Amino acid sequence: MMENKSNGNGQKEWQPKIVAFFCNWCTYTAADSAGVSRIKYAPNIRIIRVMCSGRVDPQFILDSFAKGADGVLIGGCHPGDCHYQEGNYKCLRRFRLLQRVINSFGIEPERLRLEWISASEADRVRVVVNEMVNQVKALGPLALPQKYEELKKEIEHHPVTSEIKEE
Amino acid sequence: MTNQGNNKDIRIGFYICHCGTNIASTVDVQKVVEFASKLPKVVVSRDYKYMCSDPGQELIQKDIKELGLNRIVVAACSPFLHEKTFRNASSQAGLNQFYFQMVNTREQNSWVHLDPYASTEKAIDLVRAAIYRVVYHKPLEQKRVPIHPDVLVVGGGIAGIHAALTLANAGKKVYLVEREPSIGGHMAMFDKTFPTLDCAACILTPKMTAVKNHPNITLWTYSEVIGVDGYVGNFKVKVRRKPRYINEDLCIGCLDCIEACVYKEGRFYDEFNLGLSKRKPVYIPFPQAVPLLVVIDPETCIQFKSGKCKQTCVEVCEPNAIDFTQKERIEEIEVGTIIIATGFQTFDPKKIPYYGYGTYPNVYTALEVERLINASGPTQGQIVLRDGTRPKSIAIIHCVGSRDKNTNQWCSRVCCLYSIKLAHLLKERTEAEIYNFYIDIRTPGKMMDEFFIRMKEEGIKFIRGRVADIYPDTSNGCCGKLVVKAEDTLVGEIIKVPVDMVVLSIGLEPRADAQEIRRMFNITCSTEGFYIERHPKLAPVNTFTDGIFLAGCCQGPKDIPDTVAQAGAAAAEALTLIDTGYIEIEPNTAFVLEDDCSGCKSCIPLCPYTAISFLEDKKKAFINEVLCKGCGTCVAACPSGSIVQNLFEDEEIFSEIVGVLNYTYHEEEV
Ligand SMILES: Cc1cc2nc3c(=O)[nH]c(=O)nc-3n(C[C@H](O)[C@H](O)[C@H](O)COP(=O)(O)OP(=O)(O)OC[C@H]3O[C@@H](n4cnc5c(N)ncnc54)[C@H](O)[C@@H]3O)c2cc1C
Ligand code: FES
């Protein structure tokens, strides 16, 4: 749907979609305070709240890419500041590994980003989101679901009918 | 990703709030309502001007009852603001409150985006995510944690003193921990306070004594908190009590030892007087100190340095209170709530070299001048320069270190007023010409501007302009004066004013150890270091950590009236918890699905709270719900997916992912 956005001269500009996992105590709070301060940033981000960046399961990230995210952003507290002492270190460990894993799948590692943003760094939310949106725009669409579908068409030589999730 | 059987009877109600025009002016509310109405299992989809208002909540409750809704999704402000409100509303209508999900459509959408189209698209994605998610919600019981009735107050300035007394008078047991040898904080250094010019000691000393004598207050001065464990209701705190080398139970505060010390005169930097006088190795910080107990400074005491002192102090001490062998003690206490009142420090003017502080002896900080003016200060209230002469002209420079990108950006709020106060007091005592160099005069608050006008009428001069330089006057082989150079922005010309004394009105800033303290207590602070309140308007003394409250200048610069008001509020918040007896906390703990657990033990070392143990008989992991704080780290790490976090179950998050990406499942995946 976002692909339909007009860029003003009647042309459609492609808009990436970025799924973000923000920890409740620092980065989600920072995003709230960006709002309170009326800081403006790119609307391409979809924030999912978790209690701690340590809750971010590698599967959440892989699943996001598989289901159509062009980028995934994880936001947690600065090292030493995690509300649960060291969940962010656990997250960092997984993040490093995941960057290599997605790279080996052919997904550019720049599509996955981990940022420490404390509750007071509202403006950092703007900087990071805008940077990431620009970076992903430069990389272009990832569109794994479509690629997956094309691949299947090739294999099966007939189109697959799509259905709504709940049915 | 398959749906559970019970999903068949799921009936979702969706509501979006206009928030006046806060949301509706950016997000196309109608479009979202229409969109949501077509999603599976959505029975009703509505919008309303103010969902959080009574009629808004009643709308939900009526629908729950009449339409048999069993899941509620509200798109409105941040869940931090009104999640509780809507959960309560749902539960009052007979629904388990955790069958609710909120969509942050204001703070994280309408307030941060300009393009209505993109904003509406974003809202639709997040609404879809919430509606998919809420299907998986489980009915949960809120956890109740009992509150230990004792309170810890950290910092014994006017904030900590007032909070401690308020709680103690309400019958609660309070531990007041102060780092310095005496309580009192900055206020104890002043002679008079604006705007009433009442004597600081007259209003503070009785409160300090009341702390000392209160049966409900345990006062530990010369002490520091060194460790905090536990959580709201049950904090375990370690306090280090530094040795004073005086037996506190025996010392009667006669001060004979100070008199008897082998040093006949003070020789060492006097901390309380900021070095404007000298003290002996055995000393009290100031005459009204509470507790009135002497301290021996091992850095300067001959007995500690060489072991060869005549110990005249010991000889003269009748109660035998001096004890050179005293060691530091560690006390361990349990408290249910904590009030942080650690105050501020003043800006170091050496960071602005052209003001010449530390170079020219006649440049003083305002805090030093507070001591000079103080009747019990180093000069007994006489305003004399370091060379013993009395100044005939004085410049007071406002905003030193404040409102400047290069130093501190904020306005320190009290400097204009204390500058005006000092101008008045200096004029009264010296009859000097007084020049105030200011950027803007800021005197908000009750009686403050009236105070300013009164002082202006006394003939104190006000010059609008930031001071660019201060240098010795060398004209005509002159006279030891300092020249203050500034642009008078009202006249538009550079002026140079020769004066005998310069007073720098230094700003208030967070204490140097604010970061360490906040880590220890697990609270947050802004980049500059002032602790952050949970909500600037609605929860101004709460922190994001339940059971820990803020009072005074550690939260931001403020004057004494505001500090005391805030301290009272913090005490009231603590009292509310104590008298309720328990607090309800989020049931977001994790548990193990025993059947799926492979017994690999990889979760066990990950838990920072040692909540996970291994059941040797069953070869399964087990999570102690009481210890679990709900971070979810173990859940993310479990290779067999056998740990579940309440409120953040895998399915709940996966369905959010599906929702935000508008992913459609294919036959074989469902
Ligand atoms: C020059 C000057 C003049 C002023 N004049 C006025 C005036 O006339 N009228 C007015 O209304 N306001 C005035 N103010 C403002 C006033 O000083 C503050 O509002 C007030 O002192 C704040 O009290 P507080 O308790 O928050 O902080 P503080 O006075 O700083 O007290 C904090 C206390 O906590 C202790 N502490 C710090 N860290 C720890 C720790 N980790 N563990 C244990 N203890 C700790 C400190 O030793 C201190 O005793 C003035 C300020 C300045 C700088
Ligand atoms: S709570 Fe923010 S990273 Fe752990």
Side-chain angles (χ1 to χ4, degrees), chain B residues 36-217:
Chain B
S37 71
K38 296 191 188 113
L39 286 177
K41 304 186 201 316
V42 172
V43 175
V44 61
S45 175
R46 299 184 198 275
D47 61 296
Y48 189 70
K49 202 121 195 123
Y50 291 104
M51 277 311 299
C52 62
S53 67
D54 277 350
Q57 295 182 49
E58 279 157 20
L59 196 67
I60 300 176
Q61 293 174 325
K62 197 162 155 267
D63 285 351
I64 291 176
K65 288 179 189 144
E66 289 177 4
L67 303 173
L69 302 181
N70 53 21
R71 299 288 192 282
I72 303 296
V73 174
V74 175
C77 51
S78 167
F80 284 136
L81 213 58
H82 276 311
E83 187 173 54
K84 264 217 174 83
T85 312
F86 295 119
R87 279 180 176 176
N88 281 345
S90 312
S91 103
Q92 277 162 20
L95 202 62
N96 182 286
Q97 58 171 318
F98 297 101
Y99 278 142
F100 170 79
Q101 178 68 14
M102 194 147 177
V103 188
N104 191 328
T105 314
R106 195 180 69 173
E107 281 80 347
Q108 296 183 7
N109 191 342
S110 67
W111 276 354
V112 288
H113 305 314
L114 292 168
D115 176 5
Y117 179 83
S119 224
T120 308
E121 288 301 297
K122 179 171 176 175
I124 283 177
D125 281 351
L126 288 163
V127 164
R128 187 190 301 109
I131 287 175
Y132 286 179
R133 182 194 215 273
V134 82
V135 168
Y136 293 97
H137 281 205
K138 305 273 177 340
L140 298 168
E141 286 300 317
Q142 195 122 36
K143 274 208 301 184
R144 277 191 177 187
V145 178
I147 304 287
H148 192 295
D150 297 355
V151 188
L152 166 69
V153 177
V154 188
I158 182 61
I161 290 173
H162 187 75
L165 283 174
T166 307
L167 287 158
N169 288 339
K172 308 303 169 201
K173 221 173 147 327
V174 182
Y175 297 93
L176 178 56
V177 175
E178 164 61 49
R179 174 184 284 164
E180 300 297 329
S182 170
I183 55 172
H186 283 95
M187 188 176 169
M189 302 172 89
F190 312 153
D191 189 61
K192 300 271 187 320
T193 54
F194 67 74
T196 44
L197 294 179
D198 41 3
C199 144
C202 313
I203 50 182
L204 182 62
T205 324
K207 293 195 85 145
M208 289 164 63
T209 319
V211 165
K212 175 80 189 84
N213 295 335
H214 208 296
N216 288 338
I217 299 180

Side-chain angles (χ1 to χ4, degrees), chain B residues 154-160 177-180 182-187 190 192-195 223-225 341-346 366-367 370 414 417-418 421-422 448 506-508 511 513 517 551-554 558-561 563:
Chain B
V154 188
I158 182 61
V177 175
E178 164 61 49
R179 174 184 284 164
E180 300 297 329
S182 170
I183 55 172
H186 283 95
M187 188 176 169
F190 312 153
K192 300 271 187 320
T193 54
F194 67 74
S223 303
E224 270 174 334
V225 174
T342 48
F344 65 97
Q345 67 183 32
T346 46
L367 207 54
E370 292 282 357
V414 294
L417 285 153
Y418 80 55
K421 168 187 80 175
L422 291 177
M448 299 298 186
I506 42 180
L508 277 56
R511 292 208 178 248
D513 62 353
I517 298 295
C553 289
C554 62
K558 54 181 70 68
D559 59 13
I560 295 164
T563 297

Side-chain angles (χ1 to χ4, degrees), chain B residues 245-541:
Chain B
Y245 305 106
I246 297 292
N247 185 325
E248 295 177 11
D249 300 329
L250 298 179
C251 176
I252 53 166
C254 66
L255 314 185
D256 286 351
C257 51
I258 302 180
E259 192 58 39
C261 177
V262 292
Y263 285 105
K264 288 299 152 228
E265 295 293 326
R267 285 269 289 278
F268 307 102
Y269 185 93
D270 180 336
E271 294 85 354
F272 193 79
N273 283 332
L274 306 160
L276 293 170
S277 63
K278 305 272 187 233
R279 63 158 171 80
K280 297 181 179 182
V282 51
Y283 69 102
I284 51 161
F286 55 103
Q288 302 81 15
V290 169
L292 193 61
L293 295 171
V294 297
V295 190
I296 296 178
D297 171 16
E299 301 287 313
T300 53
C301 170
I302 299 177
Q303 181 59 27
F304 282 92
K305 289 175 73 175
S306 66
K308 290 192 193 117
C309 184
K310 284 193 283 181
Q311 301 191 8
T312 41
C313 56
V314 178
E315 268 166 41
V316 81
C317 180
E318 259 177 48
N320 264 327
I322 296 177
D323 175 5
F324 292 117
T325 65
Q326 202 176 55
K327 296 271 169 306
E328 75 167 34
R329 283 157 291 169
I330 306 288
E331 309 267 1
E332 294 192 19
I333 53 172
E334 280 183 30
V335 295
T337 46
I338 298 175
I339 294 175
I340 312 270
T342 48
F344 65 97
Q345 67 183 32
T346 46
F347 174 76
D348 174 7
K350 287 198 181 123
K351 290 184 186 156
I352 310 178
Y354 54 83
Y355 284 164
Y357 181 76
T359 311
Y360 311 127
N362 293 342
V363 178
Y364 290 81
T365 68
L367 207 54
E368 288 169 336
V369 175
E370 292 282 357
R371 292 311 296 147
L372 285 181
I373 290 177
N374 197 298
S376 60
T379 54
Q380 284 76 47
Q382 297 299 311
I383 311 301
V384 285
L385 298 171
R386 287 183 222 261
D387 63 5
T389 61
R390 191 180 259 255
K392 296 194 188 63
S393 51
I394 303 172
I396 301 179
I397 321 283
H398 291 215
C399 299
V400 175
S402 305
R403 305 178 64 199
D404 186 345
K405 278 206 295 292
N406 302 313
T407 52
N408 294 327
Q409 280 218 332
W410 59 88
C411 164
S412 294
R413 237 182 90 178
V414 294
C415 316
C416 279
L417 285 153
Y418 80 55
S419 300
I420 297 165
K421 168 187 80 175
L422 291 177
H424 163 82
L425 295 173
L426 287 167
K427 185 149 189 81
E428 186 181 76
R429 301 198 190 175
T430 61
E431 286 172 22
E433 243 354 292
I434 312 242
Y435 305 90
N436 276 268
F437 289 86
Y438 68 98
I439 311 177
D440 301 292
I441 292 286
R442 298 191 166 176
T443 53
K446 193 169 171 178
M447 311 216 305
M448 299 298 186
D449 209 53
E450 294 90 322
F451 174 65
F452 167 51
I453 303 290
R454 238 176 28 242
M455 295 302 122
K456 223 165 43 172
E457 284 163 2
E458 286 182 2
I460 295 161
K461 297 199 168 60
F462 287 86
I463 299 163
R464 187 170 189 276
R466 203 184 259 275
V467 172
D469 202 6
I470 293 172
Y471 54 89
D473 189 356
T474 49
S475 60
N476 305 328
C478 166
C479 59
K481 280 193 189 265
L482 291 165
V483 179
V484 178
K485 185 177 148 192
E487 185 193 345
D488 185 332
T489 52
L490 294 182
V491 186
E493 63 188 32
I494 305 287
I495 53 164
K496 294 172 185 172
V497 183
V499 292
D500 296 322
M501 179 188 200
V502 172
V503 181
L504 302 178
S505 295
I506 42 180
L508 277 56
E509 58 182 27
R511 292 208 178 248
D513 62 353
Q515 297 284 349
E516 283 157 54
I517 298 295
R518 114 187 130 84
R519 290 214 169 116
M520 188 155 64
F521 288 95
N522 203 358
I523 59 175
T524 43
C525 65
S526 57
T527 340
E528 56 274 6
F530 289 118
Y531 303 135
I532 301 181
E533 62 282 358
R534 179 173 285 188
H535 190 277
K537 299 182 191 87
L538 303 177
V541 299

